[in-house]
Amino acid sequence: MNTSVPNLFKLSAAIIVLLTLINPASLFAQNRGTIQGKVVTSNNEPADNVSIGLEGTSYGTTTKANGEYQFKAPAGSYKIIISYVGVERIEVPVTVTAGQTVIVPQIMIRASQSQLTEVNVIANRANRFTRKTSVDVGKIPLDNLENAQSYSTVTNELLKEQNIFNVEDALKNAPGIQKMWDATGRAADGGGYFTLRGFVTQTRLRNGIAGLVTSGIDAANIEKIEVIKGPSATLFGSTLTSFGGLVNRVTKKPYDSFGLEIGESVGSYDLNRTTIDLNTPIGSNVSFRLNSAYNYEGSFQNYGQSRSFAFAPSLAIKANDKLSFLLESEVFVGRNAAKPFFFFDYLSSPKALGVSKVSDLNINYKNAYVNDDIKSFSRSTNYFATVNYQFSDKLKSQTVFSSSNSYSNGASPYFYLVTDERAAVYAPGTPDLPGEANYVALMDQSTYHSKLNAIEIQENINGDFNIGTTRHRFVVGLDFQHQNSNQVYYGGAYGVAPINDPTYNYGSFNKLLVDANIYNPAGAFPYIYKTNTYSAYASDVVNITDRLIASVGLRVDRFENKGNYNLKDSLIAAPFSQTAFSPKFGLIYQPIKDALSLFANFQNGFQNLTPYLNASGQTVSPKIQNATQIEGGVKMALFNGKLNGTLSYYRINLTNVLRTVPGSGAQTIQVQDGTQLSKGFEAEIVANPISSVNIIAGFAYNNSKFTKADANVEGLRPNTAGSPYLANFYASYRLPATALKGLGIGFGGNYASSNKIINSVSEGTFELPSYVILNGNLFYDKSKYRFGLSVNNLANKEYYTGYTTINPQRLRQFVLSASYKL
């Protein structure tokens, strides 16, 4: 029996109890006083996440969302120092008296909020890999310690340091989330597939609203990525989220001074990447920003290449002190060869093949099994408009419009692992070899001018006011989402190929062969439908005392499916409507104010399912599938923010799951009384123990199983749940103030335990092996230029991801980057 997880729980519980019992006063020497004040930007807005330091010391903090700051320091006379790129240094004298609070006059910095990502603190104590505050997670500006929901943040600074160019790779720095599929490029697929807390999720949100992307998501326009844990339908609805959580990408915004950064990267497998980040003011109240990237990369296999282009312009307009506009668009275009996906043919299960792990197969890791002249085209064009109106310093309005449009056309090859008997069905005359799994069937599922368009209109009213001594921060929102799907798939079978024969021409599975399979509407698989979702929600965060914070929220969601249609515009599934209610509750207690929080939450998620055939042979509308999470843990920002982290335990119960029961003939009969349980533990640490060292570490354990399901899978772990154990680590060191200041080194990696991608009584079990992937990097970062060298997969490890599939991942890669900044 594995006792490591129980022991870890005991250790974590002991830490929590110890931290709870600590007398906050004992953390500070008796001769210290408190420094308190506020920082605003050049347009008199609160300056969030600005680092404040005392010159010549390590004492300091960062501002909250309202621009306020407070920290302790020994008695004495100092200078408060703020310094940032391109703007004069700010010095404010201050005298600290033991046991007293000194109020510093308001400080104005000559920069907009968007520029504050460039902040450099003379005290050099800021933790570069954290963001204290999020606007999107709770749709209210909240510090992490004030938010009863757990989430992880991956910052733009970390992406630059690690030479990471896409969102999918960036997520290796967040604990508890695991990539399962690379992006397929097909309309509506939403980019890569991940598992989070036992459930499949995708990167469907941008700045808190719909921003669908079909390809891999380029990171050229990314400011930070938020992985929001647990069912989150109360604030984000059901069409863009999963029961395990969601991924929200926060983009770069225009600011009010000139800036330019041009970058070039080259690397193994013919990598060539060019980027530009241009910002310029247009007059006194208008700013324009453009982020763009061209990326070309080959493959570690004998075939495969991808070409992509990202273009993201944005325009910020300040009409007056109360009214502002933000107009944004993003275009992602790709023409890519398919990455190999190995499925098990439906009559060639692992049990039938006599295999249970990858080493039982004879897959050639470096063989793509297909010519890279088979490519598919994908395009995502998203448009956004945001109107902000400040009624007063206590009340504001945000109106957001989002239009997401995805398109794909072309072939998408994949492969079936087959028994020799099935191989003869796919290719009559195939030699009957002894044993099994000697062949792969060559398959394709093309998209034919497939489209998915989504429109979202959202109105949020945010307030911050006191009733007596109780502070309320609230959001009241209305949300409308419309989806129009015109997805068309068609397939082809192209015989078989030996699974590993050095004399076989695998490039013969090529464009000429696929193009011969002309699109035929009679054999197409259409997904043609329209849906509307009308929602209203409200959430209130209540400071009962300065240490006790409660939150409550509720969503009412009206879902309307207008019906499913075939290519001849004939109705094939009747329209239906459903109404869902989604509550949430949270509680925070801070034993150490602004440094340590104990939190608990109740979260809810739901999904609207399509009609199904019941035991009476009738097509019925399903109930709403519902998930509830109970979570508790501790969040910390100790030692002036040098030690940040979250420890949490969660339990998610899913009800109204459809399950199959025996029926007569070929009919598939279902009942909706299934249940699933997912529970686990997560830990994350983001530390800055000394000024030159930054550390990120994470661990996640997930125990997921069907508690009431088909007899075939009841009591077993779902094949979509991923690896039970995940861990991530990264540490970087920068030389202190020397002639080589700006030179640094980083090292880290990821661990995933074995992953059961097939797990049932009838099919047997098939397991992807556990893996440890190590990465390293060197960088030299100055105010005008930057150089970086990274080595991904240092040990050249062969490893796989997938769910129901076997997907080989990239081998060792060297990447050299250079950029010039103005």
Side-chain angles (χ1 to χ4, degrees), residues 515-534:
D515 286 351
N517 181 32
I518 300 173
Y519 168 69
N520 179 5
F525 312 100
Y527 292 88
I528 300 174
Y529 61 84
K530 293 180 181 179
T531 64
N532 291 330
T533 306
Y534 306 86

Side-chain angles (χ1 to χ4, degrees), residues 55-232:
E55 185 177 30
T57 77
S58 61
Y59 298 103
T61 188
T62 53
T63 58
K64 299 180 182 179
N66 60 5
E68 295 176 356
Y69 64 90
Q70 179 178 302
F71 64 97
K72 292 183 180 291
S77 296
Y78 305 94
K79 286 182 180 178
I80 291 178
I81 303 296
I82 304 175
S83 177
Y84 46 96
V85 177
V87 182
E88 62 182 343
R89 163 181 164 125
I90 294 176
E91 300 180 4
V92 179
V94 62
T95 299
V96 180
T97 303
Q100 296 185 18
T101 298
V102 56
I103 306 297
V104 179
Q106 181 171 287
I107 300 173
M108 176 178 286
I109 54 177
R110 298 179 183 177
S112 67
Q113 181 62 50
S114 299
Q115 288 174 281
L116 299 182
T117 57
E118 301 293 335
V119 169
N120 276 325
V121 182
I122 296 298
N124 196 25
R125 54 146 311 279
N127 194 327
R128 294 177 289 113
F129 301 151
T130 61
R131 292 286 190 273
K132 289 181 58 178
T133 302
S134 173
V135 176
D136 294 325
V137 174
K139 294 195 180 294
I140 301 170
L142 289 175
D143 286 353
N144 183 38
L145 295 181
E146 299 176 305
N147 194 325
Q149 184 169 8
S150 60
Y151 64 95
S152 298
T153 302
V154 181
T155 67
N156 178 49
E157 291 88 345
L158 181 57
L159 303 191
K160 284 186 175 180
E161 188 167 302
Q162 294 181 340
N163 265 349
I164 288 177
F165 305 138
N166 60 69
V167 171
E168 287 80 2
D169 287 343
L171 290 173
K172 69 184 182 183
N173 292 292
I177 188 167
Q178 180 184 21
K179 184 175 76 171
M180 305 169 77
W181 277 12
D182 293 290
T184 63
R186 302 189 305 193
D189 268 357
Y193 283 75
F194 300 85
T195 182
L196 180 62
R197 294 194 169 181
F199 300 94
V200 177
T201 192
Q202 294 180 275
T203 52
R204 291 178 173 267
L205 281 99
R206 177 191 188 273
N207 297 330
I209 61 171
L212 307 181
V213 179
T214 64
S215 59
I217 302 176
D218 198 288
N221 194 36
I222 295 296
E223 178 58 39
K224 64 179 178 178
I225 303 165
E226 296 173 331
V227 181
I228 304 173
K229 313 289 183 69
S232 304

Side-chain angles (χ1 to χ4, degrees), residues 116 321 338 343 355 489 516 592 614 692 703 794:
L116 299 182
D321 289 341
F343 292 83
V355 298
Y489 296 85
I592 307 174
N614 68 9
S692 54
N703 179 8
L794 272 165

